[in-house]
Amino acid sequence: MKLIELTAEQLSALYESELKAAFPPQELKPLKAILNLMAEKKYQALGLYDGDELVGYALLWLEPGIPFALLDYLGTIEGRRSQGLGTIMLDLLAGYYKDYRGIFGEAEAPEGGSPEGEELRRRRLGFYLRNGFRYGGYDCALFGVHYQTLIRGREDVTPGELLAVHQKIYSGHMPKQVYDRFIQIPLLPGQRPNSMGDWVEE
């Protein structure tokens, strides 16, 4: 299997056919926002191919000059799930970004969301922890959703270094009033996420 970069047209089709069904609306960036980031060379969409068949995908936020890749979305195509493809994808991503200090992401915290989704959130978190990721040292909240920060990368990456990178990526993309209202990096112990909102850029 191999990773191949997707075009904007391929990503748009994937967004409609897969991402809309796979991710809750409050966790899914608008397609326009993703395409804008791609046009600015700040976003990369990679497809996992089994021969000529697209079987999985990873969407990553890249900021020029920052040696970390933010894993935004990871998924397997409907009909190819429960086949270990997520593990294969993460291993291939580690090789793809081997010159970076790490790949990090935000996994929704088990507690605090809807009770019926708690087990799913625990399974998702456990999947990343079984596949080379570790807790990044702090939680965060984005548009009202509580996440734990996870990283797969160099052992010498400190929570402080990761936190600074995390803040820089979001603050560099959003107006200050939007960042201050909707982005909490870090979410301090005992602090509650702000009220939910939709992805806003301007």
Side-chain angles (χ1 to χ4, degrees):
M1 294 193 185
K2 59 186 180 296
L3 294 176
I4 298 177
E5 188 166 5
L6 302 178
T7 65
E9 291 74 20
Q10 289 172 316
L11 173 59
S12 297
L14 181 70
Y15 187 95
E16 295 296 329
S17 65
E18 294 288 336
L19 273 79
K20 278 187 171 181
F23 294 94
Q26 67 269 24
E27 293 184 27
L28 190 58
K29 288 183 180 66
L31 176 60
K32 182 179 181 224
I34 294 176
L35 294 177
N36 286 343
L37 285 167
M38 284 184 75
E40 296 170 5
K41 307 296 185 189
K42 294 182 177 181
Y43 209 87
Q44 193 165 37
L46 298 173
L48 177 65
Y49 282 84
D50 184 0
D52 293 331
E53 181 187 2
L54 177 65
V55 296
Y57 54 88
L59 310 185
L60 299 104
W61 198 344
L62 309 173
E63 196 70 22
I66 293 179
F68 290 86
L70 171 52
L71 180 58
D72 217 6
Y73 302 103
L74 180 80
T76 303
I77 301 298
E78 178 70 36
R80 294 299 302 263
R81 291 170 187 158
S82 302
Q83 299 177 13
L85 296 176
T87 295
I88 292 171
M89 173 76 84
L90 290 177
D91 287 342
L92 288 174
L93 286 174
Y96 197 93
Y97 295 104
K98 65 182 185 301
D99 294 331
Y100 282 60
R101 284 186 55 71
I103 300 169
F104 75 103
E106 304 131 354
E108 193 174 351
E111 305 82 7
S114 61
E116 61 272 15
E118 183 172 335
E119 181 57 31
L120 175 61
R121 295 191 293 272
R122 288 188 185 281
R123 288 204 307 269
R124 188 182 300 162
L125 190 59
F127 162 75
Y128 284 107
L129 294 174
R130 288 193 306 274
N131 283 283
F133 282 76
R134 63 185 186 271
Y135 182 53
Y138 61 92
D139 288 16
C140 62
L142 310 172
F143 295 97
V145 180
H146 181 184
Y147 297 93
Q148 292 185 0
T149 306
L150 305 174
I151 179 167
R152 176 170 171 168
R154 309 282 174 84
E155 291 297 327
D156 64 339
V157 174
T158 65
E161 179 186 11
L162 186 61
L163 176 63
V165 165
H166 206 171
Q167 291 170 331
K168 186 172 183 180
I169 289 175
Y170 278 93
S171 65
H173 183 69
M174 294 176 171
K176 185 176 185 304
Q177 67 271 20
V178 174
Y179 182 91
D180 290 345
R181 181 178 176 188
F182 293 113
I183 307 300
Q184 295 163 274
I185 305 174
L187 183 71
L188 301 175
Q191 185 180 12
R192 296 178 60 84
N194 294 339
S195 58
M196 283 192 174
D198 294 326
W199 178 268
V200 181
E201 296 180 292
E202 58 187 5

